[in-house]
Amino acid sequence: MGTYYAKPGEVEREWLLIDAEDQVLGRLATRAAHILKGKHKPQYTPHVDVGDFVVVINADKIRLTGNKAAQKSYFRHSGYPGGLKEESFERAMERHPERVIERAVKGMLPKNTLGRAQGKKLKVYAGSEHPHEAQKPRKIELEA
């Protein structure tokens, strides 16, 4: 009996829908990363992208626990001297709530070519509307 490894051509992908309304950011992000990696499937193979597509709606209604909403900040650097930029969580949610979830999920994926491919299967939308109705995404419930 040999070990089974999934081949890229034989992977069947599903579209899953997650409603982010009143969900905790980190818990939603771990669940989404788990699905994107394919760890919920019995044919999970670490070096093959076997994960499903994830559509997250209502990203503007996500929440943080405790005092993090006031304290959390995001940093980026332009590469030039003095080019460090800081943005608070509240400001980021005003400007682009989708990127908050995208950044949380992509931080939980591998930092290589496979992780970038898995990250492309994440679709995040601020409102309840999304353009993926034709794929018939199956709604999954997260623990509140």
Side-chain angles (χ1 to χ4, degrees):
M1 192 74 194
T3 304
Y4 172 76
Y5 291 112
K7 280 101 184 149
E10 60 189 36
V11 176
E12 291 190 22
R13 301 198 192 284
E14 189 180 8
W15 284 75
L16 301 173
L17 180 73
I18 298 175
D19 190 356
E21 188 169 1
D22 284 335
Q23 296 290 330
V24 178
L25 175 63
R27 292 169 194 259
L28 180 134
T30 53
R31 183 64 197 242
H34 193 80
I35 294 167
L36 290 169
K37 285 182 183 179
K39 286 190 153 192
H40 63 295
K41 294 182 174 182
Q43 61 267 31
Y44 168 71
T45 307
H47 63 278
V48 179
D49 185 10
V50 295
D52 293 331
F53 287 88
V54 176
V55 179
V56 180
I57 58 171
N58 292 322
D60 53 348
K61 296 183 177 90
I62 197 94
R63 67 183 179 92
L64 295 178
T65 58
N67 208 17
K68 288 188 214 87
Q71 295 173 347
K72 186 169 183 61
S73 57
Y74 297 100
F75 296 92
R76 65 184 190 280
H77 199 283
S78 66
Y80 290 96
L84 184 65
K85 305 288 184 195
E86 180 181 3
E87 185 176 42
S88 69
F89 172 79
E90 293 160 337
R91 176 95 170 109
M93 286 299 288
E94 288 171 12
R95 292 181 59 210
H96 35 69
E98 306 91 8
R99 288 193 213 159
V100 171
I101 294 178
E102 285 172 9
R103 184 169 180 165
V105 173
K106 286 183 180 177
M108 298 177 186
L109 295 175
K111 276 64 171 178
N112 54 25
T113 311
L114 178 64
R116 287 188 290 278
Q118 292 168 344
K120 288 179 184 170
K121 294 185 316 221
L122 175 68
K123 316 292 182 188
V124 185
Y125 301 98
S128 59
E129 299 295 318
H130 63 88
H132 304 289
E133 287 298 329
Q135 284 76 24
K136 296 182 181 67
R138 179 172 57 93
K139 185 169 177 148
I140 57 171
E141 295 296 323
L142 301 180
E143 297 81 32

